[in-house]
Structures are given as structure tokens and as C-alpha cells.
Amino acid sequence: MAAIILKWVIVFLAFMNAGYMAYDGTRALVTGDYLRPQSGEYAGQLGPWSKLVEKLGIDPTSTGMKSVFLIFGIAGLICAAGFAFNASWGWKALLLFNICSAWNLFFGTASSVVQTVLLIVFRTIK
């Protein structure tokens, strides 16, 4: 029973994380910009991930980076579905996705770390 609950917590977190990336990438490609805070200290700013990609010489508002968000989000949704439906590759793919999406600071990093830990726990109790 614990394994089933744990599995669906992982699936929920994965769909939230990857779904947001896919949504934000799609929105950015369609409207020209990502979702940004409307008020507060960080109003109008992109998340800390944008500083990381800028240091790599990539414009965070470029079509290429928006496409990366969309494609990576879709890949994450596919990995989550594979895990949810017990595909032989699902667990490994979702683990790899979470390791690779840790760059998406802050929520993405937190979600990815939690999912990585939960995936390892799931594998040990299953």
C-alpha cells in the first residue's frame, strides 16, 4: 500500500514539474515571454535558471531556450507516464529526467530532488 501511495506522489510531482515546463515553454513560444511574477521583489524577472543559461552564453528569452523548455517538459511528461504505467524504462527515465532538470531553480530543483529521493525509496520498497 505504501508503495502505491509513494508512486502516485511521485507521478503527481513529476506531472506538475514537467507540465509546468511544457506549459511555460509553449506559452513563451506563443506569446513571446515566459510567466513572470507580476508583483513583489522579483516582479518581471525570470527565475535563477536564467542566470545559469546566460553564463553559458544562451539568451534565456531566445526561441531556442523556449523550445528547450517545451521539449524538456514534454520529455518529462513522457517519462512520468512511463513510470505511471509501469513501462520497463519508466523508473530509469524519470530518475534521469529529475537529475537533468535540477537546473530549473527553485521549484524545479526542489521537486526534482524530492522525486529523486522518492524514486530511490520506491525502488527499495517495491
Side-chain angles (χ1 to χ4, degrees):
M1 181 63 155
I4 293 171
I5 293 169
L6 185 57
K7 175 182 179 174
W8 292 108
V9 167
I10 294 167
V11 169
F12 174 77
L13 290 172
F15 272 95
M16 293 296 294
N17 191 20
Y20 180 81
M21 288 181 77
Y23 171 76
D24 203 21
T26 301
R27 182 185 183 285
L29 286 167
V30 171
T31 68
D33 201 9
Y34 300 99
L35 288 172
R36 298 176 189 242
Q38 297 298 312
S39 61
E41 182 179 348
Y42 301 105
Q45 297 180 35
L46 292 175
W49 66 267
S50 63
K51 306 292 187 272
L52 292 174
V53 298
E54 282 176 341
K55 288 182 188 223
L56 295 173
I58 302 168
D59 176 5
T61 61
S62 69
T63 301
M65 193 64 218
K66 293 170 187 173
S67 298
V68 166
F69 257 82
L70 172 59
I71 292 165
F72 203 66
I74 291 169
L77 291 171
I78 292 168
C79 293
F83 177 72
F85 291 111
N86 300 315
S88 60
W89 50 267
W91 184 88
K92 287 179 185 175
L94 190 55
L95 181 67
L96 181 61
F97 172 78
N98 281 295
I99 291 168
C100 292
S101 65
W103 61 271
N104 189 14
L105 305 168
F106 286 109
F107 175 76
T109 302
S111 178
S112 293
V113 169
V114 168
Q115 288 177 69
T116 299
V117 170
L118 293 179
L119 281 163
I120 292 168
V121 169
F122 177 80
R123 185 67 149 215
T124 62
I125 66 171
K126 184 180 170 202

